[in-house]
Amino acid sequence: MWSSIYANADERQEITLSALTPMFQNNEFTGVIVTDIKINTFNAFLKELETNTNAAVYIFDQEERLVAHPSRSSVVSWGTRDSKKGERLLAVESGNPIIQASAKYVKTHQIYQTQAITKFESDINGERYFNFVTPYKDPHGLTWYIGVSISESDLLGNLPDAQRNSWLLGIIVSVVGLTIA
């Protein structure tokens, strides 16, 4: 089973998720084994992914609160209008405008209530973004959603220009061919 995400009660107060399992010997409870996972490891991975692909990837739970995002900043609130100090930030409170726009769509359309992959487009500062939200649920009680947003220009690169140039070249060759014939 999984714990709720919490801040460690030490001087670092790292955001942590724990995996727990009871231990039995001869059908008698003997204790619990716990493994801690630092959420910052997810954040570092998502930051590296963003650097390599230019896609904003974030993880949120069924309460629409951030689990991880591609930023060095914490997912824990210092106190906002919607999140009390010490709570995890809502995804719409992200400092990343791409994640904010995607999260607003998710909230408006209640995508977190579905177990299907959802695809949608958004416009951010005049640029078209493709968005995907994929639910992740494991048999031990973890329910998260993985949001991915990438701009059309980052996804397609120079493909539209190459396609346009190919069409122009084809038209020119056709006109030259008709002129010679």
Side-chain angles (χ1 to χ4, degrees), residues 110-130:
Q110 298 183 339
I111 290 174
Y112 56 90
Q113 293 182 351
T114 181
Q115 289 303 309
I117 296 173
T118 304
K119 303 172 191 173
F120 58 95
E121 295 176 15
S122 57
D123 183 73
I124 303 168
N125 296 329
E127 186 160 14
R128 187 163 125 183
Y129 278 79
F130 299 106

Side-chain angles (χ1 to χ4, degrees), residues 132-174:
F132 298 87
V133 176
T134 304
Y136 173 79
K137 188 171 188 153
D138 82 349
H140 305 289
L142 192 66
T143 302
W144 287 351
Y145 299 86
I146 303 165
V148 179
S149 300
I150 188 166
S151 70
E152 182 176 33
S153 62
D154 286 327
L155 181 64
L156 299 178
N158 64 357
L159 182 63
D161 292 336
Q163 189 177 31
R164 185 186 71 246
N165 292 341
S166 295
W167 276 100
L168 289 173
L169 182 61
I171 291 170
I172 291 170
V173 169
S174 296

Side-chain angles (χ1 to χ4, degrees), residues 25-40:
Q25 187 173 11
N26 300 325
N27 289 332
E28 187 176 318
F29 177 75
T30 56
V32 176
I33 293 181
V34 178
T35 299
D36 290 339
I37 301 167
K38 307 293 186 222
I39 295 297
N40 284 343

Side-chain angles (χ1 to χ4, degrees), residues 57-76:
V57 181
Y58 66 106
I59 302 170
F60 63 99
D61 64 14
Q62 62 268 50
E63 295 175 354
E64 302 174 61
R65 295 202 176 274
L66 285 173
V67 171
H69 60 154
S71 173
R72 295 201 193 307
S73 65
S74 177
V75 296
V76 175

Side-chain angles (χ1 to χ4, degrees), residues 23 54 71 84 93 98-99 110 150 154 159:
M23 294 297 302
N54 290 329
S71 173
K84 296 177 192 170
E93 296 178 301
I98 298 164
I99 293 174
Q110 298 183 339
I150 188 166
D154 286 327
L159 182 63

